[in-house]
């Protein structure tokens, strides 16, 4: 049974369940390309939450994450009513940025992959170093 918000496995990979709804599809009942971004965004948020990092707490400190760069590959289509699993894992971290690898799977088969670079910004929109506690949670070097 899936846990709301997903969970971190023994391999360190966070897995988050995603159901494809009608609103996620195009006229052909395939998932519209931009919907994959929403799936990955939700999975990143839950990955951070699973590590005790909450956006509302960062905002209270005048900090926020922003996606700096994303490379995405659409390998196979997902369809209406599919139950998918978004996997998120840390690939690299340092300074003000970290890189996540994300994969969307259906029954173990890879449908979509993304490499996401995010940065931590202050209230003025300038990059700031990840705080030591945050770097430690994210496995930063």
């Amino acid at each position: 049974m899936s846990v709301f918000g997903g969970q971190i496995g023994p391999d360190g990979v966070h897995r988050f369940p995603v159901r494809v709804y009608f609103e996620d599809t195009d006229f052909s009942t395939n998932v519209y390309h931009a919907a994959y971004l929403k799936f990955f965004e939700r999975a990143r948020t839950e990955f951070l939450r699973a590590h005790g990092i909450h956006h509302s707490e960062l905002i209270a400190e005048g900090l926020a994450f922003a996606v700096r760069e994303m490379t995405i590959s659409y390998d196979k289509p997902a369809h209406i009513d599919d139950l998918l699993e978004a996997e998120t894992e840390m690939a690299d971290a340092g300074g003000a940025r970290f890189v996540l690898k994300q994969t969307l799977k259906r029954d173990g088969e890879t449908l979509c992959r993304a490499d996401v670079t995010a940065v931590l910004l202050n209230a003025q929109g300038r990059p700031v170093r990840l705080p030591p506690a945050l770097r430690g949670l994210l496995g930063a070097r």
Side-chain angles (χ1 to χ4, degrees), residues 46-113:
E46 296 300 338
F47 168 84
L48 291 170
R49 185 181 305 277
H51 285 89
I53 301 164
H54 303 273
H55 290 295
S56 58
E57 293 172 5
L58 289 173
I59 291 168
E61 296 176 29
L63 302 171
F65 289 116
V67 171
R68 167 97 168 67
E69 182 177 355
M70 177 183 268
T71 304
I72 190 165
S73 299
Y74 302 95
D75 299 322
K76 296 183 179 187
H79 309 284
I80 194 166
D81 291 334
D82 280 354
L83 182 57
L84 310 175
E85 186 171 69
E87 296 182 349
T88 304
E89 59 186 309
M90 183 63 66
D92 190 25
R97 62 136 188 95
F98 61 97
V99 180
L100 298 174
K101 288 197 166 298
Q102 294 191 278
T103 308
L104 197 64
K105 295 182 177 184
R106 179 183 53 225
D107 296 325
E109 179 181 35
T110 298
L111 305 181
C112 187
R113 297 167 284 122

